[in-house]
Amino acid sequence: MLYLKSLLILLFLASLNVLGQENVTLSGTITEESTNETLIGVNVIIPELNTGTITNEYGFYSITIPKGEYTVQVSFIGFKTISDKKNLSKKIILNYKLEESVEGLEEVLIVADSEKLNLRTPQMSVNTLKASTIKDIPVVFGEADVIKAITLLPGVTNAGEGSSGFNVRGGAADQNLILLDEATIYNSSHLFGFFSVFNPDAIKDIKLYKGGIPSRYGGRVSSVLDIYQKEGNSNNFAMNGGIGLISSRLLAEGPIKKEKGSFLFGGRSSYAHLFLPLFDNNNVAYFYDLNTKLSYKLNEKNNIYLSGYFGRDVFKISDSFENTYGNTVLNFRWNHLFNDKLFSNLSVIYSDYFYGLDLNFVEFNWVSGIKNFNVKYDFKHYINNNFKLQYGLNSIYYDFNPGTIDPSSPNSGINEQQLIKKYALENAVYLDAEHQVSDKLTLSYGLRLSSFLRLGQDEVNNYVNDEAVVYNSTFGIYQTANPISTSKYNKSDILKSFANLEPRLAASYRLNNYTSVKASYNRMTQYLHLLSNTTSPTPLDIWTPSGTYVKPQLLDQVALGYFKTFKDNTYSLEVETYFKTIKNRIDYIDGAELVANDAIEQVILNGEARAYGLEFLLKKDKGIFKGWLAYTLSKSEQRTPGNTANEPGINNGNWYNTAYDKTHDISFTGSYDFNKKWNFNANFIVQSGQPTTYPNGQYIYNGISIPSYSTRNENRLPTYHRLDVSAIYTPKPEKKTGYQSSWVFGIYNIYNRYNAASISFGENRMSGVNEATKLSIFGIVPSVTYNFKF
């Protein structure tokens, strides 16, 4: 309540600044000249007043200033800066079209006022990547990859080569909210982690929030990866694509009606499996995905968008086993401008994650998945130049299918079975304020009220004292409890309800024109849990909602940062430290069965987690050499104590390293423009080995050697490191229209390091001696890709 009272006082004081001032409002939309594509994050600066703003996710800006004659400077990296002298005596709409810089980034004028604006904003712990940057980063198989690119940033790792998902500041992969045009993506990987589901040709903007997360986001406790697709070229028809060794892509875009409407269709597919029969291999592994977007400007105040994504992976072993999985999303959005200070967006969203398994050798099929239907309405209110509000609401209905079993033949002997479906409703309202208190101090404060209703299902188990897991003191193990009864409910019934206030607070204090310090605090709640006992997500993992026996996860995170630009804004330095705690992080009893389990509460224990660290990021954004150096020193731990003092819990109730704890993480990314035709890129990565548990002894039982193990995750795999390089050759760099092409030559892991994905221990059948076996995914991997556009 104290935070709520303080929030109301700040809002009242800020509103006083509006009264008695004779101001005018300058607003409009900023687009790219060649395509008419709206641009996100463009700086609109009034240098005479040392103030400015940036465009929102739809290219709209609004700034309120005193009447007078000013210079309007519009700047964005990669585009020519516009300086426009205006006499502002009344409110005015100014739409600008930015022309791409032909000479490269080093020729672009980025005024110092733009950097002051970045230093002043209280937003911290956020990284932005452009699609062009991602395409320059060397990756395995030569396919540009959004997920692999963000793992080069400080505080972001993954479980290693061939692993799905990513981990942020010591959090689990399921604690990341991944949005594509505001729709939730539940599995971000193709082919079990070798590729991401995001087509870089269709991507316009990528932001990763690691902390200080605005209150318009919720539902996950670790990070938000917010990705927006391009809208399409409303001026001219254009196509681009690429042909690689194992996959290719093609994207087409053009006007529905010139400068009013546009379409975008993009597709990718892998085809390495087509060559397997040449080697007498009948197995199959491939993916394909489709991106679509339709945009239309109804009038100056209304725009509508329809965007979609469909992706599938197919993994087949001869005729005995076939696995199909993927995401489907569809989003309709309506932008409405009430006036020059109030912008709104209404979204109606459908998301679906499907997992199918055809087990022909045992003659049955398995299907599971999660669907959600989401309605959200967001407003951005530009009260004045020193005070802006964002507020809105959203409601998400969830449909969980933990598994459907169907016999594939009448003689299979398998009975048709539907595991109990689960349903839930998640609601939220939020308010965010950005308040420039003085020329040096800017605050961002907000509040999110979230609620979660676990709806009725066919059958719910009841247990003694509501304990679905019991401790057997005789054997010293946790066991599933036996239900004492079951209850049946209608889908409209409410089994359990939760409500949580989630305050957010951030502050920026500018020490001078080149230096600022920032601090943030945020609380977040996560009502969904991914059931997985592997180090990285797999397609088979099942999502489950909070309820009677599974509590929502609660995060508290604080962060402190130091930010500086120098050498005429050529370099920037970001240093951040953070500490976060998570309540109700789930863990599993030994021998837990997670698949086809209709009583998942019988294998789950509620614990807690914590993570803390120090992050460094040194960037160079101008010149013929560009890139960054990132270093993270961190710790990520988990603890699951017993329910009573007589229970040991997991790992005797002691803290242990999470599977994604990486003490040291160093990454270097560089890009060098040798000349107009050749560009060279390199990545170098060094990470602490992934935590694991090794045997610390053995004993003989009935002549069999049985290992005994140390405490959980006490050991580590060997240090991970590799060097990747690539060269981009553009035959005709001066050609900016018509058919254009380039070649990308890459070598992943150039010195052929066989990094350990796992180390297993077992008995050698020949010698009878226990030995360790290292599994590695990749050595050196060359690639070549031909890119084109016209």
Side-chain angles (χ1 to χ4, degrees):
M1 291 301 296
L2 179 62
Y3 179 84
L4 183 58
K5 291 180 180 178
S6 302
L7 178 62
L8 293 173
I9 292 172
L10 286 169
L11 292 173
F12 173 74
L13 293 175
S15 66
L16 296 180
N17 293 331
V18 183
L19 302 177
Q21 294 182 359
E22 193 173 3
N23 294 328
V24 293
T25 298
L26 170 65
S27 64
T29 302
I30 299 178
T31 58
E32 184 178 347
E33 185 178 55
S34 61
T35 65
N36 212 37
E37 182 94 26
T38 58
L39 296 173
I40 302 173
V42 177
N43 294 295
V44 181
I45 308 296
I46 310 296
E48 292 89 346
L49 299 177
N50 193 27
T51 190
T53 188
I54 62 173
T55 56
N56 69 4
E57 291 82 2
Y58 300 93
F60 177 78
Y61 75 93
S62 176
I63 183 169
T64 301
I65 55 178
K67 291 181 178 180
E69 186 172 322
Y70 303 106
T71 302
V72 181
Q73 289 185 339
V74 183
S75 63
F76 193 48
I77 290 180
F79 293 83
K80 293 179 179 179
T81 295
I82 294 176
S83 292
D84 189 14
K85 199 78 171 179
K86 291 291 181 182
N87 188 352
L88 302 177
S89 58
K90 59 181 180 180
K91 67 178 183 179
I92 185 173
I93 296 175
L94 289 177
N95 299 322
Y96 291 101
K97 294 181 181 293
L98 293 186
E99 181 183 353
E100 190 172 359
S101 174
V102 177
E103 299 300 324
L105 298 185
E106 65 273 16
E107 301 276 335
V108 181
L109 174 63
I110 304 295
V111 293
D113 297 291
S114 301
E115 200 54 51
K116 291 179 188 176
L117 189 64
N118 295 332
L119 291 171
R120 178 183 293 160
T121 176
Q123 181 64 64
M124 61 181 299
S125 306
V126 62
N127 297 112
T128 302
L129 287 176
K130 295 170 66 69
S132 57
T133 303
I134 292 172
K135 291 178 181 179
D136 288 344
I137 295 174
V139 290
V140 67
F141 301 133
E143 179 72 20
D145 194 309
V146 171
I147 301 301
K148 298 297 187 295
I150 66 173
T151 60
L152 298 171
L153 298 169
V156 187
T157 62
N158 65 7
E161 293 165 329
S163 61
S164 302
F166 57 98
N167 308 104
V168 177
R169 289 185 170 177
D174 70 305
Q175 294 172 338
N176 303 313
L177 177 63
I178 303 174
L179 301 174
L180 179 64
D181 276 350
E182 301 182 347
T184 303
I185 299 293
Y186 288 99
N187 188 332
S188 61
S189 299
H190 280 310
L191 293 184
F192 306 101
F194 293 122
F195 300 90
S196 80
V197 299
F198 306 107
N199 183 345
D201 289 341
I203 299 303
K204 176 165 69 172
D205 185 74
I206 302 165
K207 281 190 176 68
L208 176 67
Y209 296 87
K210 301 179 292 186
I213 299 174
S215 61
R216 65 181 180 273
Y217 298 109
R220 301 293 187 276
V221 296
S222 191
S223 75
V224 177
L225 180 60
D226 197 4
I227 300 176
Y228 279 86
Q229 294 188 112
K230 293 165 60 178
E231 294 156 12
N233 191 328
S234 63
N235 288 338
N236 303 290
F237 177 79
M239 295 186 71
N240 66 80
I243 302 172
L245 295 178
I246 66 170
S247 66
S248 292
R249 63 190 192 279
L250 183 66
L251 182 139
E253 55 184 326
I256 298 174
K257 185 176 182 181
K258 195 172 180 66
E259 295 193 348
K260 286 185 70 72
S262 62
F263 69 86
L264 179 147
F265 296 102
R268 293 188 303 168
S269 180
S270 64
Y271 39 72
H273 66 286
L274 299 177
F275 304 102
L276 293 179
L278 300 176
F279 305 96
D280 294 325
N281 190 327
N282 295 323
N283 299 332
V284 170
Y286 67 91
F287 76 87
Y288 61 91
D289 56 31
L290 301 170
N291 295 78
T292 62
K293 193 163 188 177
L294 303 175
S295 308
Y296 199 83
K297 183 177 183 179
L298 300 175
N299 52 45
E300 290 299 322
K301 292 192 174 184
N302 294 280
N303 294 272
I304 56 174
Y305 307 88
L306 181 66
S307 58
Y309 169 86
F310 179 81
R312 283 294 182 266
D313 285 72
V314 177
F315 179 59
K316 186 176 180 181
I317 299 178
S318 189
D319 294 325
S320 61
F321 171 96
E322 184 172 346
N323 180 203
T324 305
Y325 63 92
N327 301 278
T328 302
V329 300
L330 186 65
N331 182 6
F332 172 78
R333 284 175 291 167
W334 168 46
N335 287 173
H336 177 65
L337 188 62
F338 286 94
N339 53 52
D340 55 5
K341 292 187 176 184
L342 183 57
F343 178 93
S344 72
N345 178 68
L346 173 67
S347 297
V348 180
I349 306 166
Y350 169 76
S351 293
D352 177 17
Y353 176 67
F354 168 86
Y355 180 85
L357 197 60
D358 296 341
L359 300 172
N360 296 325
F361 67 98
V362 289
E363 298 183 320
F364 78 86
N365 302 326
W366 165 277
V367 171
S368 65
I370 176 175
K371 299 177 183 178
N372 76 48
F373 304 87
N374 184 4
V375 178
K376 61 195 297 285
Y377 203 9
D378 302 293
F379 298 84
K380 187 159 187 177
H381 202 161
Y382 302 82
I383 305 294
N384 60 30
N385 195 43
N386 296 325
F387 190 70
K388 304 176 184 66
L389 288 177
Q390 290 193 67
Y391 45 88
L393 52 88
N394 78 287
S395 182
I396 308 174
Y397 174 77
Y398 295 100
D399 181 341
F400 303 85
N401 179 12
T404 303
I405 300 174
D406 288 318
S408 57
S409 75
N411 302 319
S412 67
I414 302 293
N415 294 323
E416 182 178 342
Q417 181 183 0
Q418 172 63 61
L419 299 184
I420 297 173
K421 290 188 174 183
K422 301 178 177 69
Y423 309 94
L425 184 65
E426 182 176 354
N427 303 298
V429 293
Y430 74 88
L431 173 67
D432 256 330
E434 185 174 325
H435 184 186
Q436 185 179 330
V437 180
S438 67
D439 186 55
K440 292 184 177 294
L441 178 63
T442 305
L443 301 177
S444 174
Y445 42 89
L447 188 65
R448 182 181 183 90
L449 172 62
S450 64
S451 69
F452 191 81
L453 305 178
R454 177 68 181 274
L455 303 178
Q457 60 191 53
D458 292 342
E459 190 175 278
V460 176
N461 291 328
N462 301 311
Y463 303 91
V464 175
N465 299 324
D466 285 338
E467 293 182 359
V469 178
V470 294
Y471 180 67
N472 187 322
S473 57
T474 303
F475 295 101
I477 58 173
Y478 282 95
Q479 296 178 327
T480 60
N482 293 319
I484 56 174
S485 63
T486 58
S487 302
K488 296 184 180 295
Y489 295 90
N490 296 318
K491 194 186 297 186
S492 58
D493 295 333
I494 298 176
L495 300 182
K496 185 73 174 179
S497 64
F498 303 92
N500 286 281
L501 283 174
E502 305 174 28
R504 317 287 170 90
L505 177 64
S508 172
Y509 186 80
R510 190 162 58 89
L511 301 176
N512 54 46
N513 288 340
Y514 310 101
T515 311
S516 67
V517 291
K518 301 182 183 183
S520 68
Y521 163 78
N522 61 279
R523 163 165 280 212
M524 302 187 75
T525 308
Q526 179 169 336
Y527 297 102
L528 306 188
H529 311 264
L530 185 65
L531 303 177
S532 174
N533 54 10
T534 58
T535 55
S536 69
T538 69
L540 187 57
D541 297 336
I542 303 296
W543 289 88
T544 193
S546 298
T548 305
Y549 306 107
V550 183
K551 301 176 182 178
Q553 300 177 66
L554 301 174
L555 164 111
D556 289 287
Q557 179 176 225
V558 293
L560 181 66
Y562 173 84
F563 303 83
K564 184 176 180 62
T565 64
F566 43 96
K567 292 288 185 181
D568 203 18
N569 297 320
T570 299
Y571 297 89
S572 64
L573 174 67
E574 301 176 12
V575 182
E576 293 192 33
T577 183
Y578 65 89
F579 179 83
K580 65 181 184 180
T581 61
I582 300 174
K583 298 178 181 177
N584 304 324
R585 179 61 184 162
I586 62 174
D587 207 338
Y588 311 101
I589 66 174
D590 291 336
E593 292 290 340
L594 303 182
V595 179
N597 189 340
D598 237 350
I600 200 67
E601 70 274 4
Q602 295 179 347
V603 296
I604 288 178
L605 293 173
N606 287 303
E608 58 183 330
R610 67 185 181 191
Y612 46 93
L614 184 65
E615 300 172 353
F616 295 86
L617 179 63
L618 177 64
K619 294 175 62 179
K620 184 176 185 292
D621 293 323
K622 298 183 190 178
I624 61 173
F625 175 79
K626 297 174 286 291
W628 67 81
L629 176 66
Y631 171 66
T632 305
L633 173 67
S634 63
K635 189 70 173 175
S636 174
E637 299 176 300
Q638 187 167 337
R639 179 175 68 174
T640 307
N643 294 323
T644 68
N646 297 323
E647 296 181 15
I650 303 297
N651 199 53
N652 293 319
N654 298 319
W655 289 100
Y656 61 89
N657 296 326
T658 62
Y660 25 87
D661 173 58
K662 302 284 182 73
T663 307
H664 302 282
D665 181 13
I666 304 172
S667 61
F668 167 78
T669 301
S671 177
Y672 178 67
D673 297 323
F674 182 72
N675 55 36
K676 291 185 178 181
K677 290 189 175 183
W678 284 98
N679 169 264
F680 298 99
N681 303 277
N683 304 327
F684 181 63
I685 300 170
V686 182
Q687 293 178 347
S688 298
Q690 186 175 315
T692 187
T693 307
Y694 290 155
N696 60 359
Q698 62 180 2
Y699 59 93
I700 306 299
Y701 180 77
N702 289 338
I704 301 175
S705 177
I706 299 175
S708 61
Y709 288 87
S710 56
T711 56
R712 183 176 291 197
N713 289 345
E714 184 182 41
N715 311 107
R716 288 186 183 273
L717 296 176
T719 300
Y720 179 99
H721 58 87
R722 74 169 199 271
L723 172 65
D724 313 323
V725 297
S726 70
I728 302 175
Y729 174 66
T730 306
K732 298 179 180 180
E734 69 283 350
K735 191 174 183 181
K736 300 300 176 183
T737 58
Y739 189 86
Q740 305 162 62
S741 63
S742 65
W743 290 88
V744 182
F745 307 95
I747 303 178
Y748 178 89
N749 195 0
I750 192 170
Y751 53 78
N752 200 28
R753 161 82 173 181
Y754 283 92
N755 289 293
S758 66
I759 294 180
S760 58
F761 294 83
E763 183 179 298
N764 187 309
R765 294 184 179 180
M766 300 295 293
S767 64
V769 176
N770 285 339
E771 61 182 15
T773 303
K774 181 177 79 170
L775 172 65
S776 298
I777 305 297
F778 292 122
I780 185 171
V781 182
S783 64
V784 59
T785 302
Y786 177 72
N787 295 318
F788 60 88
K789 63 179 179 179
F790 55 88

